[in-house]
């Protein structure tokens, strides 16, 4: 399959898991679905989460056992109002107050509830009755939080599928479906007024299934590819995740003055198993997507329209849900098994051990004795360099200098940013020659590449 072309640059993310940041990362979340009869006890799951760098958990309901198990862990908790509960919350403010007093007040702040999602993919359901009740329900929940003195501490939003967009390619043309536009604008106005996020479920997995070409797979998996140029802006996109998020950003911009409304990825993931007619459902692809997504988030590069920050992203899912109906893929998104072992390793463990696979040559090459810097080879493509940039910045080095306002942000090119990050990675890991390889796209030089106010670390070993 196309997955066998798995990029060595990215395969190695787990080999260097020990260099990941040890702390939990607030922008990395996970979905904790419960449509299953074999899940471990919530206290076991809480211990599992604490052993990882996962910073937030999204529940589809408000299971009190899970909320209590996560108390005093610092893990951010998203709880959900089921679609079926929306009519009661919309029609009766007392119902909303009761919901908050039952599901939030007894647990907060020991349990770090950060967001309440009112409904899941309601607007794209085309259920006009439910859609008309969504905003009143959100408003009543917000008012109930305010009455409990939790307004501003716990946010209120709702979750959308990408189907609310009528256009997303190229990203600059992103627009909401005209039929839904009036409702979308009212919801986003509410989110702007309350500093709440706009939550959406982008799935490059589904984009690949609708266009199963090898080049599309690489684009969806953050693997080296030729990129896709946005004809409206001239921006070259190197992965589907960024393209989908920027399409949402463009749609929000076209809707009105909503630049201050943050986007939140409520779900994204890749099935590791599927039926014979479900393309791309392999362990290799799932590991590539989720692992490279995590590296991309950790790089803090952001997207072309939202640079220098990482969007809060909740990976689907923590566990498989064995009672879900539908094709096999629906039951095959879990990062962990019910026995708490990893389905596959994407480098989330705080205590990642160096794997038995050698990460250094049996007979190491001698370290350079003169001053040396690690630089991209002349023929390296932008796609390869973007891969290197994501990889290096995703492994615990400080890439602040190449973010907006940093001393090395200009020139704002992939080549310049990758050069800085690759060299910093090489210097930080002990100046070993094998740390300046990057799938044979890098080389050592004795010429100091520092310029103007941008200083490249380097020196003799």
């Amino acid at each position: 399959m196309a997955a066998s072309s798995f990029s060595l640059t990215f395969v190695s993310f787990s080999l260097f898991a020990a260099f990941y940041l040890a702390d939990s990362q607030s922008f990395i979340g996970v979905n904790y679905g419960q449509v299953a009869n074999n899940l471990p006890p919530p206290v076991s799951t809480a211990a599992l989460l604490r052993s990882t760098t996962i910073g937030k958990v999204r529940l589809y309901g408000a299971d009190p056992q899970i909320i209590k198990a996560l108390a005093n862990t610092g893990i951010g908790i998203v709880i959900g109002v089921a679609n079926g509960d929306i009519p009661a919350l919309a029609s009766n403010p007392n119902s909303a107050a009761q919901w908050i007093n039952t599901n939030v007040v007894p647990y907060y702040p020991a349990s770090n509830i950060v967001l309440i999602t009112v409904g899941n993919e309601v607007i794209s359901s085309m259920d006009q009755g439910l859609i008309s009740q969504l905003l009143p329900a959100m408003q009543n929940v917000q008012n109930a939080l305010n009455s409990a003195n939790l307004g501003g501490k716990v946010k209120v939003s709702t979750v959308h599928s990408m189907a609310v967009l009528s256009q997303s390619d190229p990203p600059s043309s992103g627009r909401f479906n005209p039929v839904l536009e009036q409702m979308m604008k009212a919801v986003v106005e509410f989110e702007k007024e309350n500093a709440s996020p706009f939550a959406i479920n982008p799935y490059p997995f589904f984009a690949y299934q609708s266009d199963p070409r090898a080049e599309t797979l690489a684009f969806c998996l953050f693997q080296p590819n030729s990129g896709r140029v946005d004809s409206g802006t001239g921006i070259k996109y190197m992965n589907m995740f960024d393209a989908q998020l920027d399409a949402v950003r463009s749609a929000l911009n076209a809707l009105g003055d909503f630049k201050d409304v943050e986007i939140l990825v409520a779900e994204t993931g890749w099935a590791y198993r599927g039926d014979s007619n479900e393309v791309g459902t392999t362990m290799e692809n799932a590991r590539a997507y989720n692992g490279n997504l995590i590296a991309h988030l950790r790089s803090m590069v952001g997207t072309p329209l939202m640079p220098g920050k990482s969007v809060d992203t909740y990976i689907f899912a923590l566990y498989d849900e064995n009672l879900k109906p539908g094709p096999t893929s629906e039951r095959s998104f879990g990062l962990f098994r019910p026995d708490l072992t990893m389905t596959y390793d994407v480098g989330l463990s705080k205590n990642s051990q160096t794997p038995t696979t050698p990460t250094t040559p049996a007979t190491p090459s001698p370290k350079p004795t003169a001053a040396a810097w690690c630089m991209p080879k002349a023929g390296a493509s932008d796609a390869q360099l973007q891969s290197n940039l994501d990889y290096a910045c995703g492994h615990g080095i400080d890439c602040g200098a190449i973010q907006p306002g940093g001393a090395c942000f200009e020139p704002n090119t992939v080549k310049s940013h990758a050069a800085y990050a690759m060299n910093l990675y090489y210097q930080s890991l002990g100046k070993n020659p094998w740390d300046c390889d990057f799938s044979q796209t890098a080389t050592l030089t004795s010429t100091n590449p520092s310029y103007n106010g941008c200083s490249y670390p380097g020196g003799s070993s």
Side-chain angles (χ1 to χ4, degrees):
M1 291 185 67
S4 62
S5 63
F6 207 39
S7 159
L8 288 176
T9 301
F10 278 116
V11 163
S12 54
F13 63 75
S14 65
L15 301 182
F16 292 97
F19 301 112
Y20 274 45
L21 298 177
D23 297 330
S24 295
Q25 293 168 319
S26 63
F27 48 80
I28 297 177
V30 69
N31 285 273
Y32 186 172
Q34 295 173 265
V35 187
N37 61 6
N38 61 350
L39 298 181
V43 289
S44 301
T45 296
L48 170 67
L49 291 168
R50 291 182 73 176
S51 74
T52 72
T53 55
I54 293 168
K56 293 192 177 92
V57 172
R58 179 186 171 213
L59 309 180
Y60 291 85
D63 187 316
Q65 297 305 315
I66 296 175
I67 295 171
K68 283 190 283 191
L70 292 170
N72 303 311
T73 62
I75 293 170
I77 307 166
V78 178
I79 59 176
V81 171
N83 289 5
D85 292 336
I86 288 174
L89 297 180
S91 62
N92 189 349
N94 290 332
S95 293
Q98 185 178 353
W99 199 95
I100 294 300
N101 288 331
T102 300
N103 297 305
V104 180
V105 173
Y107 311 113
Y108 187 91
S111 295
N112 183 26
I113 299 169
V114 295
L115 177 67
I116 299 169
T117 56
V118 179
N120 190 49
E121 301 189 350
V122 171
I123 292 181
S124 54
S125 73
M126 295 300 179
D127 180 334
Q128 295 306 319
L130 197 60
I131 291 171
S132 68
Q133 293 170 309
L134 177 60
L135 186 56
M138 294 172 70
Q139 290 167 332
N140 283 345
V141 170
Q142 181 67 58
N143 291 338
L145 283 171
N146 295 344
S147 297
N149 294 317
L150 294 174
K153 299 173 184 174
V154 181
K155 305 292 187 180
V156 178
S157 188
T158 188
V159 178
H160 308 285
S161 77
M162 288 292 287
V164 296
L165 273 68
S166 59
Q167 194 166 332
S168 61
D169 185 25
S172 63
S173 73
R175 296 294 184 273
F176 293 116
N177 186 329
V179 174
L180 306 174
E181 196 168 280
Q182 186 176 353
M183 180 64 194
M184 293 300 300
K185 189 164 188 175
V187 168
V188 181
E189 286 279 9
F190 167 90
E191 290 165 345
K192 179 181 178 180
E193 289 168 11
N194 293 285
S196 293
F198 180 87
I200 191 132
N201 297 339
Y203 274 93
F205 171 65
F206 295 128
Y208 172 63
Q209 290 199 315
S210 65
D211 179 21
R213 295 176 296 153
E215 55 265 39
T216 305
L217 183 64
F219 189 66
C220 288
L221 296 181
F222 301 85
Q223 291 177 338
N225 64 91
S226 57
R228 297 183 180 182
V229 176
D230 185 321
S231 57
T233 61
I235 293 170
K236 179 183 278 192
Y237 283 84
M238 301 310 300
N239 65 78
M240 181 67 79
F241 182 79
D242 284 356
Q244 289 184 329
L245 288 192
D246 277 1
V248 175
R249 183 82 268 165
S250 295
L252 288 170
N253 291 346
L255 200 60
D257 181 16
F258 298 119
K259 63 182 182 298
D260 295 330
V261 176
E262 297 282 349
I263 294 171
L264 178 148
V265 174
E267 278 183 31
T268 190
W270 199 285
Y272 65 84
R273 183 179 57 203
D275 297 324
S276 58
N277 63 337
E278 293 187 281
V279 296
T281 53
T282 69
M283 193 78 78
E284 294 86 352
N285 288 348
R287 183 177 180 273
Y289 178 73
N290 287 317
N292 294 338
L293 168 65
I294 290 165
H296 186 53
L297 294 172
R298 284 174 170 156
S299 76
M300 302 298 283
V301 170
T303 76
L305 297 187
M306 297 177 286
K309 62 181 179 181
S310 285
V311 169
D312 281 8
T313 299
Y314 293 77
I315 296 171
F316 190 85
L318 183 57
Y319 301 117
D320 288 342
E321 295 175 86
N322 68 333
L323 298 182
K324 269 195 164 182
T328 298
S329 62
E330 285 292 315
R331 297 175 293 282
S332 307
F333 278 86
L335 295 173
F336 293 89
R337 302 185 185 96
D339 65 2
L340 306 178
T341 59
M342 287 181 281
T343 308
Y344 48 87
D345 187 3
V346 290
L348 283 171
S349 174
K350 286 180 182 174
N351 303 312
S352 293
Q353 300 298 310
T354 303
T356 54
T357 306
T359 57
T360 59
T363 307
S365 306
K367 292 185 181 181
T369 54
W373 291 265
C374 181
M375 291 287 107
K377 286 184 177 176
S381 70
D382 275 2
Q384 291 170 318
L385 295 178
Q386 183 68 55
S387 299
N388 298 350
L389 174 62
D390 285 348
Y391 178 78
C393 292
H395 284 72
I397 64 170
D398 181 4
C399 288
I402 52 176
Q403 292 173 18
C408 303
F409 178 68
E410 297 292 348
N412 181 16
T413 64
V414 171
K415 182 176 182 180
S416 178
H417 290 182
Y420 181 88
M422 291 160 65
N423 179 66
L424 187 56
Y425 179 86
Y426 163 74
Q427 305 293 340
S428 300
L429 266 64
K431 307 184 184 71
N432 300 299
W434 54 86
D435 291 323
C436 184
D437 179 69
F438 292 94
S439 297
Q440 301 179 359
T441 62
T443 187
L444 290 170
T445 177
S446 59
T447 303
N448 188 339
S450 301
Y451 60 93
N452 300 338
C454 175
S455 178
Y456 276 61
S460 64
S461 300

